[in-house]
Amino acid sequence: MEDQLKKSTLHIFMIRFICIMLAAGICAAVPAAAQIQKVAVVPFTVYAEKDLTFLQKGIVDMLTSRLSRPGEVAVLGREVTEEALKDVQGPLNPATAIEIGQELGADHVLYGSLTVFGESVSVDAKMIDVSGEREPLSFFTQSPSFGEVIPAVDRFAAQINEKAFGRKAAGAAAPAPAAPEPGPAEERPDVYAHPETLIQGGFGEAGERESVAEAGFTMGRAWKSRSFNKFLVSMDLGDVDADGKIETVLATPDQILIYRFENERFLETARIEVPGYRFVVGVDVGDINGNGVEEIFVSALNGQRTGLQSMVYEYANGSYAPIVEKTPWYFRVVRQEDFGKQLYGQRQELGKTQFDAPIYRMAWEGGGYVSRHQVLPGKKANILGFSMGRPTESGEDLAVVYSTVDLLQVLETTGREVWSSSDPFGGSSLYILLPVENPGMMENRRFFPMRIRARDLNGDGTEEVIVAQNQEMANRRLQNRRNYNKTQLYVLSWDGLGLGAVWKTRTLSGHIRDLGIADFDGDGIEELVAVLVIKEGKIMGTDAKCSVIAFDIIEKSAQ
């Protein structure tokens, strides 16, 4: 009933809006003769859990009426454009858009995507100059609810009119002060020109939150970044340039991207190119060498994905430089209540599984990182799915890990199991290649677990465990394949018998790749921050689609 009401309301708004726009177009004076610019508006790709064809078509019609201007801009009919697209497979890219534009005799091709995330709707688009004389223009807008889709599309059309055709809306506000010079990210035109809006109200539903009132904390305001067309494989947060502000460190398979949230904008401040055909599987941040600057620990495989060649970067003299290169350790930095950030490591021996080696607490010594104390024996866990904390009422330091089949476990440092979940959590598509076990096997992949965080969110002395639960399409039954299509974030708390959910998001499309806790936006409130992967871009010719999401953690209180 609620969905029908939303759909009906949206239809009414669309009809009114289109009528107003058509009337405005009819009444507009025709300017002096000039070359008419022809625009092909391609139906936007929709990423949503329900059928939103009506919204997809409505946006094309709204943009058509809003962009058209007699004697200046003509938008080709939807039927003509759809006919030209009938043989095109998958989402458009700039090269394909130019081919379509040439076939249609258009000067510009506008295409993009519509993403429904919880109650919010965001629109990403590109305007391609078919002649190739101008760089593609990128546009972004976001609506916090279905009821505000029409004003959002109106703003979106105004952006296109101004940037592509030099037309400003009547009564437009004076331009904002110039933004700082952007960094080198491919996404920077959207980020700087159209900073992200905040999504109010969060993504959880009352019916899905369990025992929230008893948890002693609440997840408040939610925020989502614009989409990245890169596969984000890991994330951590910390002050990596010693300026007193928290940076968000994002990793792709071959790059480290450093972002900062300032003045309601999520800006790239630096980028590190990972050398030597390595494949990054984890990134961590912490000042382990004690010089006041947090290091960036990069766990990375070699180009063949058969062994480790990890590295560590540190900021000095205005840039990031390696202080350790090609080390055979996986790294994990864990924040512990009494000790602050601690570094843990696990060696990878060629041909061995990632669970074979013990896990050690590590320290800086002699210009490198060395193992000091074993905290978990071998064959118990992979360190990328490892955390240390005090999740039970005993106050004892325990390891929280994933088993080989992604069951969540609480272990003593001897390796004895204290508790295990009945359902899998986490879930990652990142893997290492091991030698094949029989002649008929083409590949022998071993998938890594994903990160676990432990933090006392309500001040009662017992740490909650923060994890994701990614749903795998084949229920993890295929040895060499992992495809995750739905996910939820969970906060788990000890109830005397085991870890139970005290908060979770509604089911989201895609999967959570990594998560962290920090005051990433500098507002004095810590946030639960996560990387959401909608598409990994596995298919040749397709881009990845990822976003950073965050939830305020509020109303902390001692129990």
Side-chain angles (χ1 to χ4, degrees):
M1 183 69 182
E2 186 178 345
D3 285 345
Q4 290 178 347
L5 183 59
K6 286 180 180 177
K7 193 175 289 190
S8 176
T9 303
L10 189 56
H11 275 304
I12 293 170
F13 275 133
M14 276 185 188
I15 292 169
R16 290 178 178 172
F17 182 80
I18 292 171
C19 288
I20 292 170
M21 289 301 105
L22 288 174
I26 292 171
C27 296
V30 179
Q35 183 178 357
I36 297 176
Q37 297 289 298
K38 295 180 181 179
V39 180
V41 179
V42 175
F44 284 19
T45 303
V46 176
Y47 300 103
E49 295 179 0
K50 52 188 174 182
D51 184 8
L52 293 179
T53 303
F54 77 97
L55 184 56
Q56 181 187 46
K57 292 181 178 179
I59 285 183
V60 173
D61 292 339
M62 292 162 65
L63 289 172
T64 297
S65 65
R66 189 67 179 88
L67 300 179
S68 298
R69 179 168 291 193
E72 294 183 16
V73 178
V75 179
L76 303 181
R78 177 160 28 103
E79 296 80 5
V80 175
T81 304
E82 290 178 350
E83 176 66 21
L85 290 166
K86 65 182 181 180
D87 295 326
V88 176
Q89 300 295 321
L92 258 63
N93 56 44
T96 308
I98 289 175
E99 291 178 8
I100 294 296
Q102 290 172 343
E103 179 182 339
L104 294 172
D107 300 290
H108 308 276
V109 176
L110 176 63
Y111 69 95
S113 64
L114 173 74
T115 302
V116 179
F117 185 87
E119 287 298 308
S120 74
V121 181
S122 62
V123 183
D124 282 279
K126 288 187 182 297
M127 176 80 91
I128 302 296
D129 179 7
V130 175
S131 70
E133 296 176 359
R134 296 176 60 185
E135 291 292 320
L137 297 175
S138 297
F139 305 92
F140 174 82
T141 191
Q142 184 169 336
S143 166
S145 67
F146 274 92
E148 297 182 31
V149 169
I150 291 174
V153 175
D154 190 25
R155 292 192 299 272
F156 177 63
Q159 294 170 10
I160 297 172
N161 275 327
E162 180 174 351
K163 292 180 70 175
F165 305 120
R167 305 196 313 238
K168 286 192 176 182
E181 188 65 26
E186 293 177 13
E187 295 83 10
R188 68 179 181 267
D190 292 347
V191 173
Y192 281 80
H194 309 291
E196 293 295 312
T197 58
L198 294 176
I199 305 169
Q200 303 295 324
F203 301 103
E205 291 180 336
E208 292 187 303
R209 299 187 181 191
E210 304 173 11
S211 306
V212 172
E214 300 173 6
F217 67 90
T218 300
M219 294 294 182
R221 183 184 63 177
W223 173 89
K224 172 182 173 289
S225 76
R226 69 174 302 276
S227 295
F228 291 80
N229 62 354
K230 299 175 179 293
F231 179 30
L232 301 180
V233 298
S234 189
M235 175 202 72
D236 203 3
L237 302 107
D239 182 9
V240 294
D241 58 4
D243 65 349
K245 300 175 182 178
I246 296 293
E247 281 78 42
T248 303
V249 182
L250 302 168
T252 75
D254 56 4
Q255 294 176 323
I256 306 300
L257 311 175
I258 301 172
Y259 274 72
R260 185 184 300 137
F261 192 101
E262 280 189 317
N263 301 319
E264 304 300 331
R265 298 181 178 185
F266 197 46
L267 311 175
E268 182 179 316
T269 62
R271 178 181 296 195
I272 302 170
E273 300 292 336
V274 175
Y277 303 103
R278 300 179 205 183
F279 190 101
V280 177
V281 294
V283 66
D284 291 78
V285 171
D287 179 16
I288 307 304
N289 59 17
N291 65 354
V293 182
E294 294 200 76
E295 302 101 88
I296 300 174
F297 296 85
V298 181
S299 299
L301 304 177
N302 59 21
Q304 297 76 37
R305 293 206 202 186
T306 57
L308 270 177
Q309 289 187 347
S310 298
M311 64 217 82
V312 184
Y313 291 91
E314 189 172 66
Y315 184 83
N317 301 318
S319 64
Y320 296 88
I323 58 174
V324 172
E325 297 185 86
K326 295 186 178 181
T327 181
W329 288 89
Y330 295 104
F331 294 117
R332 190 98 293 177
V333 173
V334 178
R335 181 188 180 277
Q336 295 178 252
E337 292 293 336
D338 292 343
F339 308 108
K341 290 186 175 183
Q342 300 294 312
L343 177 65
Y344 293 88
Q346 185 177 37
R347 288 183 68 93
Q348 172 72 60
E349 296 182 18
L350 195 64
K352 298 288 187 69
T353 77
Q354 66 266 38
F355 285 80
D356 281 351
I359 294 176
Y360 294 93
R361 184 172 169 181
M362 304 188 74
W364 175 263
E365 185 178 293
Y369 299 92
V370 298
S371 58
R372 281 283 180 84
H373 307 292
Q374 179 180 301
V375 295
L376 207 60
K379 301 186 183 298
K380 291 296 180 181
N382 176 260
I383 196 169
L384 297 187
F386 161 90
S387 187
M388 287 291 292
R390 296 170 181 172
T392 71
E393 68 273 10
S394 70
E396 186 180 356
D397 286 319
L398 301 170
V400 187
V401 303
Y402 292 109
S403 73
T404 55
V405 291
D406 283 340
L407 297 182
L408 192 63
Q409 296 179 311
V410 178
L411 304 179
E412 294 179 349
T413 54
T414 61
R416 188 183 77 85
E417 181 182 294
V418 176
W419 174 84
S420 179
S421 67
S422 57
D423 297 317
F425 282 85
S428 168
S429 59
L430 302 179
Y431 62 88
I432 187 171
L433 285 174
L434 300 179
V436 296
E437 297 172 346
N438 59 68
M441 180 183 288
M442 295 185 65
E443 280 190 336
N444 186 12
R445 298 183 181 184
R446 289 294 185 271
F447 291 93
F448 294 107
M450 71 166 294
R451 194 190 303 264
I452 300 168
R453 298 283 186 178
R455 183 70 68 88
D456 184 2
L457 300 179
N458 56 19
D460 67 351
T462 300
E463 291 180 286
E464 282 69 42
V465 174
I466 302 96
V467 291
Q469 188 175 59
N470 296 324
Q471 298 180 27
E472 209 277 318
M473 296 176 69
N475 292 322
R476 297 171 169 83
R477 288 192 292 263
L478 302 178
Q479 180 174 338
N480 288 324
R481 292 288 181 271
R482 291 290 184 271
N483 290 297
Y484 300 96
N485 60 343
K486 294 181 181 179
T487 188
Q488 289 179 282
L489 279 167
Y490 277 80
V491 177
L492 307 175
S493 184
W494 191 261
D495 61 10
L497 299 175
L499 292 173
V502 294
W503 179 86
K504 63 181 178 181
T505 61
R506 68 178 64 195
T507 301
L508 307 174
S509 295
H511 70 273
I512 298 296
R513 180 52 259 153
D514 209 341
L515 50 89
I517 296 175
D519 180 13
F520 97 112
D521 58 2
D523 65 354
I525 300 173
E526 284 196 322
E527 287 82 24
L528 169 57
V529 186
V531 169
L532 179 68
V533 178
I534 302 297
K535 296 189 302 179
E536 292 188 16
K538 292 180 180 178
I539 302 172
M540 188 174 294
T542 65
D543 289 332
K545 184 180 178 67
C546 303
S547 292
V548 177
I549 61 176
F551 303 83
D552 282 346
I553 305 172
I554 59 176
E555 297 181 12
K556 291 185 179 181
S557 61
Q559 299 293 298

